[in-house]
Amino acid sequence: MKKCISILLMGTMLIALGTSFPVPTEAAESAPLDMQQFTIWDENIAYYGASYLRDCSVLFDDQDKIPASTENTNVDKSLWDETARTSWQPNMQAEYGEAAFTVDFGANYVITGICFLDVNGTPTWTISDGEPFSWNTLKTVYMDGYQCWRSVSFEQPRATRYLHFSSDYQDSGVSELAIYGYYDSDLTEEQIAKTAAKTNSAASSNLTAGGRVGFNAFIDDPMTAIMAGGMVREYHNFSWLLDESGKTKFTQGTWGDMDAYYTAMKQSGITIIPCFQGGSSVIRNNGSSVPEIPVADGADTLSPNSYALHAQTMYQVAARYGSNQDIDRNTLNLAEGQEEKVGMGLLTALENSNEPNKNWSGKDNYFAPYELAAMCSADYDGHERTIPNAGVKQADPNFKLAMGGLVGNSGMISYLNQMKTWFDYNRTDGKFAVDIINVHIGPDTYNPEDSQFRQQIQKLKDWIAENAPDTELWISEYEIPMSDQEIEGLDNHDNEAYQLAYAQRVVRTNLIAIAEDVDFITKFQLRDEGEGVYYNSGLVTQKGSWNKKPAWYALSCMTNMLRNADFVEDRSSEDVNCYAFAERTTGNRILCLWSPTNSQKKISDYLLSVDEAKYAYLTEPSAYAEGTTTALDIQDGRVSLTVTETPIYVTLSGTQQTIVNGRAFRITPSSLCLTQDQSTEICTLEHAPNNMILNQFYRMFDEQETMPELLYGDTVDLTLPETNVTQSNITCYATFEQPICFTGFAVYDTYGVGNISVYDAYTDTLLWSNNLDSYMSRSIHLIAETSATDCLKIVKQGGDLNELACYGYVVPEEPAALDYDLDKNGTWNIVDLMLMKRAVLGKVEQYTVTDLVTLQRYLLRS
């Protein structure tokens, strides 16, 4: 019969086809086994790939020089002289665990004996059979020889799928190993089922191309910086979640209101996955540090029960922010002062650690693969519901668990393989108890397209398809190689060529990930660190300034263009990369084009086919968050473009589009009045009015230059406003020269707490409200784009402020598409206006606020 078994050595999968094994009718003769046909893995991979260490492949690299049998360990002198004496040494630090490896024969074999090439030292080896985590010791061998082959035999050998070897010393003292035995039988159905891949049952996130892309951020980053992304990975210390008794809290004193933060994200259409990183002194404290592995002193780190408090806290997060509103309130474990809330629908997933395999931080902060699997099993469903009120699935079956992002590409597959082994043999369902596999990888060359990035992704996708089908993939951190753009003596922030190349490479890295069907990709990180190696890693400058770099605008343009689109196909040619996307609602096609080079290449008069489209529009990154759009002239079914190394976007449509460049300008009212019909004093903002109450509203708009010109504009160089607004319980109407679609508001807050609210004056719809609970700072808020209006009602209650700013854009002039002669008398008049207002308030679909404003403006001009 034919067998096909694989070997896993040094992280590489080799497949041997057509290897023949005889099927014995009685006890077969023992012989050296061809180890190249089997899967072998090191268990201690903390420093996998380090040049000064040696993985277990060194034990099987001279198999043509081993003894013929355990009874006769002599080999020819020529073979002996050629045999390597390099011993297996997977680590040099005992705290990371014993040196151990496992052999999976892929079938049942009878093992009759083993030979060791003992070269130095006196370690003790243990040989076991059985199954992972249920090993049976066969023999203990004291390696007290020197530069010699030694053997052990088993008097009553039995069939096994696995052999397990361990050494009590990291330098194992053995340089080659031979295993003797014979094939016994195929794996049973039960054995096959034990390690078979289990399909993940969670529904796909189904995010659009733009919705998959974002960055790492913090709870104190402003929304005007965060708005560039479709998703955010929020760094959130696990310790913030617990009070001294281990109960859960969702506010951190006067800052860090998770409810408000996640609500703002939801309202802005941004997916957020919090990364609960680190440990807690409530669980374990070493005095000078808090270990990241959240288990008590002396606890078994391979047992899910040891992670109970961590898993129960994950339950609390999923219960509050997931979508299940049928949570038993008796299961809530909230700190004093925390309001009971469940099923808020603000989160769909969480991440349970950050870089759990970081070997540079000591064993207290390094999860071995089996340890991370044990914690994930607890965080997933309370280890199959054996831990009460624990794990995200017990709170919300649809909530997803993302494992902490693995770092170090060389050992990722080995790490995942070991996690799967733990799940196979410690969960009755064998499920890989993670919904999102999470890694930190990125381009390793200046051109993302020329790097191994695409191959790294495909390798991970292949592993998922084979071992954990339908599990999602998240690249939660990546960085860009940039040393080729550095100029000695010039700060990279001031280096225009550096910043342009950085922007290009960030966007192109994201585009590659999207085309390779990565489910989420978030850049490290939104903001720069103040100093050190991450001084220039952000899309904006450091905390407190948040000035936007070209990379911020390039990423924002991309996410805006692809926010409602899916990747369709790669249409790239030799000189130009071209990715095609399709919008979900309009059916429009979006083609993204760039030169995949790093030489400032510029391709002029590039002709692009527009298929059957009647209209084509070019959008390029610019000083606007959405980019700048222009109409293209279609000639003979093609448009002419200039293609550079900066990705651009061409929208192909069958219908004519309205172009709006810039959707968040600061727009100042043309006049203020205390009555909507303007029957009282009117203030045109040219000078202060006589009425004292009206003067309070005049002061809200008398220093507009102290507020950013664009909603997301930089504020670090702005002067501070001086005139104060103190009066409470006052109302005013602000009129604008043209109808405006509002996208945000900002206030410079000073003293006290109160409220200011802004309404559409025609419909009395609340557009924005602020409690004035900050101090001497600008509070800038994005809102969902409003219907057009040219009049706002402003209501101020308690609290003091200096300045108010309104943001949006002027509605483009278009011919009336509908008949505004509602009373059918042949002309547009005041009666038509009254009838239309009634229709708008009654939400009759035929008319909108824009129609109402258009008719009003017509009548005022007539």
Side-chain angles (χ1 to χ4, degrees):
M1 63 182 288
K2 298 288 188 179
K3 295 287 177 189
C4 177
I5 308 175
S6 62
I7 180 169
L8 180 62
L9 292 175
M10 300 182 69
T12 303
M13 185 70 73
L14 305 174
I15 303 297
L17 297 175
T19 304
S20 296
F21 293 95
V23 180
T25 57
E26 54 188 55
E29 182 179 350
S30 177
L33 299 182
D34 181 0
M35 299 305 295
Q36 296 297 315
Q37 308 307 312
F38 308 128
T39 300
I40 308 173
W41 70 86
D42 268 294
E43 292 185 9
N44 192 325
I45 59 172
Y47 288 90
Y48 198 87
S51 59
Y52 58 90
L53 297 173
R54 296 172 294 278
D55 61 64
C56 65
S57 64
V58 301
L59 296 171
F60 305 99
D61 58 355
D62 276 331
Q63 291 288 289
D64 57 342
K65 304 176 183 68
I66 62 175
S69 70
T70 56
E71 288 78 20
N72 182 7
T73 59
N74 294 324
V75 296
D76 291 342
K77 185 177 185 304
S78 60
L79 295 178
W80 173 259
D81 291 341
E82 294 173 1
T83 305
R85 304 293 197 274
T86 305
S87 61
W88 168 50
Q89 184 174 355
N91 206 334
M92 295 180 69
Q93 300 180 58
E95 66 174 341
Y96 285 89
E98 67 178 2
F101 69 90
T102 300
V103 179
D104 180 358
F105 296 109
N108 294 305
Y109 275 74
V110 174
I111 306 303
T112 59
I114 299 171
C115 283
F116 303 85
L117 180 49
D118 187 351
V119 293
N120 62 268
T122 57
T124 299
W125 278 57
T126 301
I127 310 163
S128 306
D129 67 359
E131 291 182 338
F133 311 101
S134 297
W135 297 120
N136 305 306
T137 300
L138 295 175
K139 189 82 75 171
T140 298
V141 185
Y142 182 55
M143 299 294 177
D144 56 353
Y146 178 71
Q147 299 290 327
C148 64
W149 279 103
R150 62 186 305 158
S151 66
V152 296
S153 298
F154 306 117
E155 294 181 359
Q156 295 182 322
R158 60 196 178 205
T160 183
R161 173 178 178 175
Y162 297 100
L163 276 186
H164 183 262
F165 297 83
S166 63
S167 167
D168 66 351
Y169 195 69
Q170 292 297 326
D171 185 346
S172 69
V174 175
S175 66
E176 194 72 16
L177 191 148
I179 301 178
Y180 303 81
Y182 54 87
Y183 167 83
D184 181 75
S185 65
D186 284 346
L187 297 179
T188 65
E189 290 185 5
E190 183 180 358
Q191 286 176 306
I192 292 171
K194 193 74 173 174
T195 56
K198 313 301 190 298
T199 300
N200 189 294
S201 58
S204 168
S205 295
N206 195 32
L207 295 176
T208 63
R212 299 178 182 212
V213 174
F215 33 74
N216 295 238
F218 297 87
I219 197 169
D220 58 353
D221 287 324
M223 286 299 300
T224 51
I226 290 173
M227 62 179 282
M231 76 163 296
V232 163
R233 178 189 190 225
E234 179 218 357
Y235 287 123
H236 197 118
N237 290 347
F238 173 68
S239 60
W240 296 345
L241 290 172
L242 300 180
D243 70 2
E244 293 180 355
S245 65
K247 294 186 175 184
T248 308
K249 54 181 180 176
F250 297 101
T251 55
Q252 322 302 328
T254 58
W255 65 277
D257 185 336
M258 295 166 65
D259 290 0
Y261 181 55
Y262 297 155
T263 297
M265 290 292 201
K266 177 85 170 183
Q267 291 174 343
S268 298
I270 297 174
T271 299
I272 182 167
I273 300 181
C275 169
F276 295 115
Q277 59 181 356
S280 169
S281 60
V282 176
I283 298 174
R284 186 179 174 204
N285 192 338
N286 280 352
S288 60
S289 64
V290 175
E292 294 197 16
I293 298 181
V295 299
D297 277 326
D300 180 3
T301 56
L302 298 186
S303 170
N305 292 327
S306 299
Y307 301 92
L309 181 54
H310 191 272
Q312 288 164 343
T313 307
M314 299 302 99
Y315 173 95
Q316 298 297 318
V317 173
R320 189 179 189 89
Y321 298 119
S323 299
N324 181 16
Q325 296 184 347
D326 295 326
I327 299 289
D328 181 354
R329 301 298 178 108
N330 292 322
T331 66
L332 301 183
N333 185 35
L334 302 180
E336 184 178 355
Q338 300 294 301
E339 182 181 355
E340 285 190 3
K341 297 179 182 179
V342 297
M344 296 178 69
L346 301 179
L347 298 179
T348 58
L350 62 82
E351 180 185 358
N352 65 354
S353 58
N354 180 38
E355 296 187 342
N357 63 331
K358 48 178 175 288
N359 56 19
W360 61 86
S361 191
K363 181 57 187 78
D364 279 347
N365 301 321
Y366 170 84
F367 287 80
Y370 296 153
E371 292 172 330
L372 183 61
M375 185 175 79
C376 285
S377 190
D379 291 342
Y380 183 77
D381 59 1
H383 190 54
E384 300 187 277
R385 307 181 77 87
T386 60
I387 306 171
N389 307 326
V392 300
K393 299 294 184 182
Q394 287 205 65
D396 181 352
N398 296 318
F399 203 92
K400 295 183 179 182
L401 175 68
M403 59 181 279
L406 299 179
V407 66
N409 181 61
S410 63
M412 284 180 182
I413 297 299
S414 296
Y415 198 101
L416 292 170
N417 279 328
Q418 289 196 42
M419 289 185 69
K420 181 179 183 299
T421 297
W422 190 96
F423 292 130
D424 286 341
Y425 287 96
N426 286 279
R427 289 181 61 95
T428 59
D429 62 6
K431 181 180 293 185
F432 195 93
V434 162
D435 297 301
I436 304 170
I437 288 175
N438 183 6
V439 297
H440 295 174
I441 60 174
D444 53 5
T445 60
Y446 301 129
N447 266 11
E449 298 82 4
D450 296 336
S451 73
Q452 293 298 306
F453 184 51
R454 192 188 305 272
Q455 290 86 340
Q456 291 171 355
I457 293 172
Q458 194 55 55
K459 187 176 180 180
L460 289 163
K461 296 284 287 186
D462 289 346
W463 187 92
I464 290 171
E466 183 176 347
N467 295 280
D470 294 341
T471 303
E472 294 182 309
L473 176 62
W474 180 13
I475 299 173
S476 63
E477 287 188 22
Y478 70 90
E479 190 46 295
I480 305 296
M482 289 299 300
S483 59
D484 65 317
Q485 298 295 324
E486 294 176 349
I487 299 175
E488 187 174 357
L490 180 63
D491 190 312
N492 290 329
H493 291 88
D494 302 321
N495 183 342
E496 292 184 4
Y498 181 104
Q499 294 300 330
L500 174 59
Y502 193 65
Q504 294 167 341
R505 295 173 191 179
V506 166
V507 171
R508 286 156 57 177
T509 297
N510 282 298
L511 288 167
I512 291 171
I514 291 170
E516 293 300 320
D517 199 28
V518 172
D519 296 282
F520 321 87
I521 177 168
T522 46
K523 187 191 176 301
F524 179 87
Q525 59 184 348
L526 174 59
R527 72 190 190 204
D528 289 342
E529 295 293 333
E531 57 187 5
V533 67
Y534 304 123
Y535 171 65
N536 196 39
S537 289
L539 304 175
V540 300
T541 56
Q542 67 190 63
K543 177 180 178 178
S545 59
W546 289 291
N547 290 337
K548 293 165 184 64
K549 304 180 189 180
W552 186 91
Y553 288 97
L555 184 73
S556 180
C557 178
M558 182 187 74
T559 56
N560 182 75
M561 287 300 302
L562 304 180
R563 192 172 297 276
N564 189 40
D566 297 304
F567 176 77
V568 175
E569 61 179 333
D570 183 351
R571 297 186 181 180
S572 300
S573 60
E574 183 176 351
D575 296 326
V576 175
N577 273 24
C578 178
Y579 286 177
F581 299 84
E583 289 193 329
R584 291 186 177 183
T585 53
T586 65
N588 291 343
R589 288 293 176 112
I590 300 172
L591 303 180
C592 178
L593 302 97
W594 73 96
S595 172
T597 53
N598 185 39
S599 58
Q600 301 180 4
K601 187 173 183 180
K602 181 178 180 180
I603 305 172
S604 300
D605 301 321
Y606 177 81
L607 295 177
L608 174 70
S609 172
V610 300
D611 301 328
E612 301 299 320
K614 295 181 179 179
Y615 302 94
Y617 302 89
L618 170 65
T619 302
E620 302 172 280
S622 69
Y624 298 143
E626 308 84 5
T628 297
T629 300
T630 55
L632 295 172
D633 183 27
I634 299 175
Q635 296 288 341
D636 298 324
R638 298 185 297 180
V639 294
S640 178
L641 303 167
T642 297
V643 178
T644 69
E645 292 166 358
T646 300
I648 58 175
Y649 309 88
V650 176
T651 302
L652 306 178
S653 180
T655 58
Q656 188 171 7
Q657 310 291 303
T658 300
I659 296 176
V660 177
N661 285 320
R663 294 176 178 268
F665 293 104
R666 188 185 71 222
I667 301 177
T668 305
S670 57
S671 65
L672 303 172
C673 187
L674 298 182
T675 54
Q676 185 174 2
D677 62 4
Q678 300 192 339
S679 59
T680 56
E681 182 182 1
I682 298 174
C683 173
T684 61
L685 297 177
E686 295 178 359
H687 53 76
N690 296 320
N691 186 283
M692 293 181 60
I693 295 178
L694 189 59
N695 185 61
Q696 289 284 286
F697 289 100
Y698 166 77
R699 288 185 165 209
M700 292 185 191
F701 297 100
D702 65 343
E703 298 173 285
Q704 291 285 280
E705 71 281 357
T706 65
M707 306 299 277
E709 290 187 11
L710 289 166
L711 177 71
Y712 42 82
D714 299 334
T715 62
V716 68
D717 294 326
L718 296 179
T719 59
L720 302 180
E722 297 179 356
T723 57
N724 203 17
V725 179
T726 60
Q727 197 159 343
S728 301
N729 302 318
I730 54 177
T731 300
C732 176
Y733 293 86
T735 301
F736 298 81
E737 291 184 350
Q738 295 172 286
I740 307 296
C741 288
F742 290 96
T743 56
F745 295 91
V747 61
Y748 193 96
D749 195 1
T750 55
Y751 305 100
V753 176
N755 183 267
I756 184 168
S757 298
V758 177
Y759 301 82
D760 184 326
Y762 297 109
T763 64
D764 213 32
T765 301
L766 178 66
L767 305 182
W768 168 77
S769 182
N770 185 278
N771 290 332
L772 302 178
D773 51 2
S774 59
Y775 174 71
M776 303 304 291
S777 63
R778 298 176 183 86
S779 296
I780 304 173
H781 298 268
L782 290 75
I783 63 169
E785 189 171 300
T786 70
S787 299
T789 183
D790 64 355
C791 188
L792 298 177
K793 182 175 75 170
I794 304 171
V795 179
K796 181 187 175 295
Q797 295 173 329
D800 293 1
L801 62 99
N802 280 134
E803 201 71 13
L804 177 66
C806 308
Y807 294 90
Y809 63 92
V810 175
V811 178
E813 291 278 358
E814 291 185 8
L818 298 174
D819 181 7
Y820 290 167
D821 184 18
L822 277 73
D823 62 358
K824 305 302 181 184
N825 69 346
T827 184
W828 295 355
N829 54 37
I830 192 66
V831 176
D832 296 319
L833 183 65
M834 295 173 61
L835 292 173
M836 185 178 292
K837 183 175 182 180
R838 185 180 303 167
V840 170
L841 292 175
K843 297 183 179 180
V844 176
E845 292 185 2
Q846 185 177 8
Y847 298 105
T848 67
V849 173
T850 301
D851 297 314
L852 184 66
V853 173
T854 300
L855 179 56
Q856 183 182 39
R857 290 177 59 211
Y858 170 83
L859 295 175
L860 289 173
R861 293 173 182 172
S862 301

